[in-house]
Amino acid sequence: MLKSNPFFKRREIWVPGIATWLMIFVLCTAGFFLFLKNIHSFLSPVTPKNAQVLIVEGWLPDYALEQAAQEFKTHSYAYCLSTGGPLDIGSYLCGYKNFAELGALTLRKLGIDSSKVYAVDAGYVEKDRTFASALAVQKWLEKNNRRDTVFNLFSIGCHTRRSHLLFAKVLGKQYSIGEIACNDNSYDKNHWYRYSAGVRAVIAESIAYAYGFIFFGLNRP
């Protein structure tokens, strides 16, 4: 007979059996494939509203700006705002210092009435550039005494969900913001996991969205 030990006590515990581990494996596998199927559509929403204003991120590639121009011309928008910060390269050649101006010029070249396109420069920031663009739009609306309350935000692929989160945070609940994500032509959105560009986009934007949600979204007014 074992002597009693004041430091340790013997107990009987239950541990998962083979059937339980198999069930856990099946559930984890199903969850993984469900994630693969839905994460891209979650990050790239297309939920436009009956808006008066189209906000376009001016750093978008030309093919995306072409779609933004088509969106503007086929719907009854009053005006368009092109957002963005300083150009990383080429400003000395093109004569424009920021993506907001470059995007606005491109949209005008694509057929939008020049009187209906405004460049909203976000200025230089070291981080949170999309948040800075949203702040610039808020200041522009206040400065120009604009009373519009319904917007559509035009972005590209997986970046769209995060942009919407930050614009909604800055502008507040009194504004209604729709989302329009154009396709990223660097990969097939239905099989993004087969492309290095698709994997990079999903992983990077998932992390960035989580960051934005934690540091900005939870404190939304």
Side-chain angles (χ1 to χ4, degrees):
M1 182 176 181
L2 294 175
K3 297 180 180 179
S4 61
N5 191 322
F7 299 102
F8 298 95
K9 183 181 294 185
R10 184 176 180 179
R11 289 183 177 177
E12 182 178 351
I13 63 171
W14 291 80
V15 296
I18 295 177
T20 302
W21 284 116
L22 181 61
M23 183 179 297
I24 293 174
F25 174 77
V26 171
L27 290 175
C28 289
T29 302
F32 176 72
F33 281 104
L34 191 63
F35 170 84
L36 291 181
K37 180 179 180 181
N38 294 299
I39 184 61
H40 193 279
S41 59
F42 172 78
L43 294 172
S44 309
V46 180
T47 56
K49 297 183 180 296
N50 185 21
Q52 303 101 357
V53 184
L54 182 66
I55 301 174
V56 180
E57 299 196 274
W59 52 265
L60 299 180
D62 286 347
Y63 68 83
L65 292 176
E66 289 176 2
Q67 294 180 45
Q70 186 64 28
E71 166 69 19
F72 185 91
K73 288 185 285 188
T74 55
H75 296 83
S76 56
Y77 292 103
Y79 60 93
C80 174
L81 301 179
S82 173
T83 68
L87 289 175
D88 299 319
I89 188 173
S91 62
Y92 296 104
L93 297 177
C94 70
Y96 291 89
K97 300 299 182 182
N98 56 71
F99 283 108
E101 294 178 349
L102 185 62
L105 176 63
T106 303
L107 291 170
R108 294 183 185 116
K109 289 288 186 179
L110 290 169
I112 298 180
D113 187 339
S114 60
S115 66
K116 295 182 178 181
V117 182
Y118 301 92
V120 183
D121 178 23
Y124 173 78
V125 292
E126 292 185 353
K127 63 175 186 175
D128 301 326
R129 288 174 292 182
T130 302
F131 189 76
S133 290
L135 285 173
V137 167
Q138 181 190 47
K139 293 177 181 177
W140 187 91
L141 293 171
E142 293 174 352
K143 179 180 178 180
N144 292 276
N145 196 31
R146 298 285 182 168
R147 302 300 180 186
D148 307 289
T149 59
V150 185
F151 305 89
N152 277 331
L153 176 63
F154 194 98
S155 189
I156 186 170
C158 297
H159 190 267
T160 308
R161 174 72 68 174
R162 176 163 61 101
S163 290
H164 179 270
L165 171 73
L166 299 178
F167 272 84
K169 162 63 183 175
V170 171
L171 295 178
K173 292 183 179 180
Q174 66 270 31
Y175 293 92
S176 179
I177 306 174
E179 306 153 287
I180 303 175
C182 75
N183 291 335
D184 188 331
N185 286 355
S186 63
Y187 60 89
D188 178 1
K189 67 177 182 178
N190 295 318
H191 302 95
W192 59 267
Y193 42 85
R194 297 179 182 175
Y195 299 79
S196 60
V199 172
R200 289 196 303 269
V202 168
I203 292 176
E205 290 299 340
S206 294
I207 295 172
Y209 176 77
Y211 169 85
F213 183 80
I214 292 171
F215 289 99
F216 297 105
L218 291 177
N219 297 316
R220 179 177 176 180

